[in-house]
Amino acid sequence: MLDIITSQGIGAVSIEEVSRRSGIAKTTIYRRYRNTEDMLRGMHAFQLTDTDELDDLEPSLDNFALLLERLIARFSSEIGIKAVGVLLSSGNAHLNRLVQQAVRPERDRIAAFLKRGTQAGLLRRGLDIRFLFNTIIGSMVACATFPTKLPPSTTPVTASAPAPDEERAGRDWATQLAHLLWPAIAA
């Protein structure tokens, strides 16, 4: 269903389309769901892998960039960044509930990082964390939706461990956004 939603929009989701794409007979789907709305309601929540190692990062510019890098890596590998944008903007209550279950822990992790920075005197007091997080998500979705061609890497790449362009783009986005936002949030 998520592929249908991200490629054609929520209006394209139907039992017939899900059946066609999945290869599951319509009768099998109808045994479980009464209609498309019931099928959407039955979608399971997205579960991102837990990243406890990020929960206690000391507030610094480098760690802020690392937090953003891990955020984009988790979203791109586990949900799909474009899917996050489509689902957040859908207005469908069932889809918004699912995305919020995946997004809320990430927002809370960044909020805790910013609060630690404020308490340590490194970051400004009164930061609008919700606005800042929405800015981060908006930037992430925009960069994934409208990618730019990357210049050749200056980092040596070994034959055994090449860095994919998408991973490199995520690191570049995280570093650039962290450097852009840090002066605005620093004390």
Side-chain angles (χ1 to χ4, degrees):
M1 257 192 302
L2 190 56
D3 287 341
I4 298 167
I5 294 167
T6 56
S7 64
Q8 297 175 283
I10 188 80
V13 175
S14 67
I15 289 178
E16 291 76 18
E17 184 64 13
V18 170
S19 172
R20 187 182 71 73
R21 288 199 183 201
S22 68
I24 298 171
K26 287 190 291 187
T27 54
T28 303
I29 297 171
Y30 274 115
R31 272 188 229 132
R32 183 167 179 139
Y33 304 107
R34 291 184 317 264
N35 54 35
T36 302
E37 185 68 19
D38 192 34
M39 188 172 54
L40 286 170
R41 191 178 306 112
M43 279 182 70
H44 297 288
F46 301 109
Q47 297 294 321
L48 296 178
T49 54
D50 198 15
T51 53
D52 291 338
E53 78 275 4
L54 300 177
D55 288 344
D56 297 321
L57 284 177
E58 292 298 318
S60 70
L61 173 59
D62 289 340
N63 283 342
F64 187 48
L66 176 63
L67 200 59
L68 297 177
E69 181 182 330
R70 298 288 172 83
L71 174 78
I72 195 169
R74 278 191 307 283
F75 278 149
S76 64
S77 68
E78 298 183 34
I79 297 175
I81 296 170
K82 291 178 187 177
V84 171
V86 169
L87 297 175
L88 282 174
S89 63
S90 77
N92 180 286
H94 304 302
L95 299 180
N96 285 335
R97 174 184 49 84
L98 294 175
V99 173
Q100 287 306 319
Q101 289 174 356
V103 171
R104 187 177 299 118
E106 301 306 319
R107 183 182 65 221
D108 292 348
R109 179 173 286 118
I110 288 176
F113 176 87
L114 296 172
K115 286 177 184 175
R116 285 193 303 277
T118 299
Q119 291 168 346
L122 299 170
L123 301 177
R124 290 181 338 147
R125 294 201 176 283
L127 290 173
D128 186 341
I129 293 172
R130 186 180 232 35
F131 176 78
L132 187 57
F133 184 76
N134 289 342
T135 300
I136 291 167
I137 294 295
S139 170
M140 182 178 66
V141 170
C143 286
T145 304
F146 306 108
T148 58
K149 185 161 172 47
L150 295 172
S153 176
T154 57
T155 307
V157 176
T158 64
S160 61
D165 280 347
E166 186 176 306
E167 183 180 314
R168 184 170 149 234
R171 279 194 312 273
D172 290 352
W173 168 84
T175 301
Q176 290 173 3
L177 189 62
H179 280 87
L180 180 68
L181 292 176
W182 194 259
I185 64 175

